[in-house]
């Protein structure tokens, strides 16, 4: 009894294998028949109308796997994506044998007609062929064709760096038909999820954060005609944390250090000069270093140029103020040394009869010489001026970035 069951089981398994083999043979036969001598892959399919005068509609879907190497200097970036195209070629329609054949897969792009797309802002591109060519073609019984191919691209991305490093950039991928004008081929975005983003995309972008993406239609006009065009724009916001730590905070500290020099007594000229000159030189070399290492060279003024320029101005003011005040103080000391003891006593007696002011600050201001008055002025208005500059700077550039 057990032997009968075993023989029956082997018979069923053998029958299943034969059915699958027959199905594969039928699939290959169908593919050879629809792409045989009667099919010319150099001729585009007809449009959806009966006469075939309308252009063929090609629907696109893009799956973005990674965005990397966004280069401010070269103004380009790299992206890896899977490009899917769908269209109808009635010449490839076939009998599905009562629903037994859902689609015919292949990976030979040369057997059928393929839309002649190219990337308008492409610098370099390559297909992936490890371990096998990453190409998929599916032909459906009604003649619909789906192609999927994985490519890596280096694309140009013109950037406006006026708000650098508080800026946002728009990097695009532009798809254009190369040889078929709009009356022969029209590119369309797929209705549902025209662009898909992998979840790990954020980790592949080091200096930027992807805010959103948007799709659009466009047309490419040349001397040979007007061609259908699609574009997807990636809106990227630069992460300014690195520049906060590398530029903004160190520059602010050096400006504060220069302000401290106003509080050092004038007789400590060596200490005061060391602070003023040291702040100026430290800021100057820091700006040169940062510009040479991290910042792109453009023919217009960037936001970071305004910041470093104003910080240099404030620190240079402290240096000039020290020189001017020191000259006044030295001149005053020479006058005091040349005065006689009698004159000094008269000045002391006259000073003792001067009425006392109710306001201590006004009283000190009147009794102080010009070198001390200048120090008092800069002690008060130097930080106020730097604070006003900060308010104007951050409101202007952060507000421009949000717009």
């Amino acid at each position: 009894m057990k032997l009968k069951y075993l023989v029956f089981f082997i018979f069923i398994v053998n029958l299943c294998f034969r059915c699958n083999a027959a199905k594969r043979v039928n699939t290959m036969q169908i593919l050879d028949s629809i792409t045989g001598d009667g099919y010319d892959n150099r001729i585009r399919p007809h449009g959806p109308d009966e006469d075939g005068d309308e252009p063929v509609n090609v629907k696109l879907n893009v799956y973005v796997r990674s965005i990397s190497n966004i280069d401010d200097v070269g103004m380009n970036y790299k992206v890896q994506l899977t490009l899917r195209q769908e269209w109808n070629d009635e010449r490839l329609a076939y009998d599905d044998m009562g629903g037994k054949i859902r689609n015919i897969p292949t990976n030979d792009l040369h057997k059928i007609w393929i839309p002649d797309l190219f990337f308008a802002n492409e610098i370099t591109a390559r297909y992936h062929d490890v371990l096998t060519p990453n190409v998929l073609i599916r032909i459906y019984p009604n003649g619909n064709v789906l192609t999927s191919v994985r490519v890596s691209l280096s694309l140009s991305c013109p950037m406006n760096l006026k708000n650098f490093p508080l800026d946002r950039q728009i990097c695009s991928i532009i798809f254009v038909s190369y040889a078929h004008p709009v009356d022969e081929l029209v590119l369309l975005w797929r209705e549902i999820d025209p662009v898909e983003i992998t979840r790990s995309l954020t980790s592949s972008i080091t200096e930027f954060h992807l805010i959103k993406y948007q799709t659009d239609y466009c047309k490419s006009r040349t001397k040979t005609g007007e061609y259908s065009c699609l574009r997807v724009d990636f809106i990227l916001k630069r992460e300014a944390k690195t520049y906060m730590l590398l530029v903004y905070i160190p520059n602010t500290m050096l400006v504060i250090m220069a302000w401290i020099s106003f509080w050092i007594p004038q007789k400590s000229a060596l200490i005061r000069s060391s602070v003023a000159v040291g702040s100026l030189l430290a800021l100057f070399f820091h700006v040169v270093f940062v510009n040479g290492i991290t910042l792109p060279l453009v023919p217009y003024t960037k936001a970071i140029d305004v910041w470093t320029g104003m910080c240099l101005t404030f620190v240079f003011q402290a240096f000039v103020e020290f020189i001017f005040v020191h000259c006044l103080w030295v001149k005053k000391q020479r006058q005091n040394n040349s005065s006689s003891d009698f004159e000094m006593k008269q000045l002391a007696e006259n000073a003792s009869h001067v009425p006392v002011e109710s306001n201590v600050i006004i009283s000190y201001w009147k009794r102080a010489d010009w070198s001390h008055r200048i120090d008092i002025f800069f002690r008060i208005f130097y930080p106020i001026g730097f604070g006003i500059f900060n308010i104007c700077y951050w409101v202007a550039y952060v507000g421009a970035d949000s717009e």
Side-chain angles (χ1 to χ4, degrees):
M1 191 69 179
K2 293 182 179 180
L3 183 59
K4 291 182 178 180
Y5 283 119
L6 179 61
V7 172
F8 179 76
F9 177 75
I10 294 174
F11 174 77
I12 294 298
V13 172
N14 187 33
L15 183 63
C16 292
F17 275 112
R18 288 186 178 184
C19 291
N20 290 333
K23 183 178 178 180
R24 287 195 296 270
V25 171
N26 289 334
T27 300
M28 296 301 296
Q29 289 177 349
I30 293 173
L31 180 62
D32 291 338
S33 65
I34 60 179
T35 60
D37 296 335
Y39 184 86
D40 191 347
N41 61 0
R42 298 172 298 178
I43 301 175
R44 71 173 181 87
H46 295 300
D49 62 330
E50 295 181 357
D51 299 332
D53 295 332
E54 293 186 6
V56 59
N57 295 328
V58 179
K59 295 183 179 181
L60 263 65
N61 163 252
V62 177
Y63 179 69
V64 181
R65 297 180 178 273
S66 67
I67 297 176
S68 60
N69 295 1
I70 303 175
D71 185 5
D72 299 313
V73 179
M75 293 194 177
N76 57 67
Y77 74 108
K78 293 183 179 180
V79 60
Q80 183 186 132
L81 56 86
T82 299
L83 174 63
R84 305 184 183 104
Q85 304 177 75
E86 300 177 53
W87 70 92
N88 181 268
D89 191 343
E90 60 182 12
R91 298 172 296 174
L92 298 176
Y94 59 89
D95 183 12
D96 63 353
M97 298 183 177
K100 293 181 179 179
I101 301 178
R102 298 174 58 185
N103 60 74
I104 298 177
T106 180
N107 60 359
D108 190 352
L109 292 173
H110 302 289
K111 277 186 172 290
I112 63 174
W113 177 86
I114 299 292
D116 57 339
L117 292 189
F118 76 100
F119 302 94
N121 57 332
E122 171 198 332
I123 299 175
T124 59
R126 69 179 182 89
Y127 288 109
H128 290 260
D129 53 4
V130 179
L131 298 167
T132 59
N134 297 175
V135 177
L136 168 67
I137 302 175
R138 288 177 181 171
I139 304 174
Y140 294 88
N142 61 353
N144 285 348
V145 181
L146 167 66
T147 65
S148 177
V149 58
R150 188 161 71 102
V151 294
S152 289
L153 304 166
S154 177
L155 303 170
S156 65
C157 178
M159 299 182 184
N160 185 348
L161 300 173
K162 290 184 177 180
N163 293 338
F164 179 91
L166 308 172
D167 56 333
R168 298 186 183 189
Q169 301 298 335
I170 299 177
C171 292
S172 306
I173 307 176
I174 305 174
F175 309 89
V176 186
S177 173
Y178 187 80
H180 295 287
V182 292
D183 58 348
E184 296 181 2
L185 186 147
V186 174
L187 298 178
L188 302 171
W189 285 113
R190 195 176 70 178
E191 294 83 0
I192 302 174
D193 295 330
V195 178
E196 298 173 277
I197 303 293
T198 182
R199 293 183 178 180
S200 60
L201 180 64
T202 305
S203 61
S204 66
I205 308 176
T206 55
E207 193 177 345
F208 288 84
H209 173 68
L210 178 63
I211 299 177
K212 63 178 181 179
Y213 59 88
Q214 55 193 21
T215 58
D216 198 5
Y217 292 89
C218 53
K219 289 184 179 180
S220 175
R221 295 178 176 87
T222 66
K223 291 183 178 180
T224 58
E226 187 177 86
Y227 301 90
S228 183
C229 171
L230 297 177
R231 68 181 296 149
V232 53
D233 296 328
F234 301 104
I235 301 176
L236 305 165
K237 179 177 174 59
R238 192 184 304 273
E239 295 288 351
K241 296 178 182 178
T242 302
Y243 295 93
M244 288 290 180
L245 297 175
L246 191 64
V247 178
Y248 289 98
I249 293 178
N251 287 6
T252 302
M253 294 172 64
L254 290 173
V255 171
I256 294 174
M257 183 181 295
W259 175 63
I260 293 175
S261 66
F262 303 138
W263 297 87
I264 300 175
Q266 296 177 3
K267 61 182 180 180
S268 303
L270 182 60
I271 299 176
R272 188 165 180 172
S273 64
S274 300
V275 173
V277 175
S279 301
L280 181 60
L281 291 177
L283 182 58
F284 176 78
F285 285 112
H286 180 264
V287 170
V288 171
F289 173 77
V290 172
N291 281 330
I293 297 298
T294 61
L295 306 186
L297 298 177
V298 290
Y300 48 82
T301 303
K302 304 183 292 293
I304 200 168
D305 296 333
V306 176
W307 172 267
T308 55
M310 288 301 297
C311 289
L312 278 171
T313 301
F314 274 93
V315 175
F316 184 72
Q317 283 180 353
F319 174 71
V320 173
E321 190 271 351
F322 158 71
I323 296 176
F324 186 72
V325 167
H326 184 68
C327 292
L328 292 178
W329 182 78
V330 170
K331 183 178 180 181
K332 182 67 176 179
Q333 293 299 315
R334 290 175 179 175
Q335 291 177 352
N336 291 339
N337 292 335
S338 62
S339 300
S340 61
D341 294 339
F342 176 77
E343 291 172 342
M344 295 297 293
K345 291 180 180 180
Q346 288 294 110
L347 289 173
E349 292 177 359
N350 294 334
S352 63
H353 295 292
V354 175
V356 179
E357 295 283 350
S358 58
N359 193 317
V360 177
I361 297 177
I362 297 176
S363 175
Y364 180 77
W365 178 267
K366 289 183 177 180
R367 288 186 285 106
D369 54 23
W370 275 106
S371 61
H372 286 89
R373 290 181 180 181
I374 295 174
D375 271 348
I376 295 171
F377 177 86
F378 273 88
R379 289 172 188 174
I380 298 173
F381 291 100
Y382 185 90
I384 293 176
F386 189 67
I388 293 174
F389 161 69
N390 268 270
I391 294 173
C392 296
Y393 179 87
W394 294 108
V395 169
Y397 285 104
V398 174
D401 171 63
S402 62
E403 292 177 2

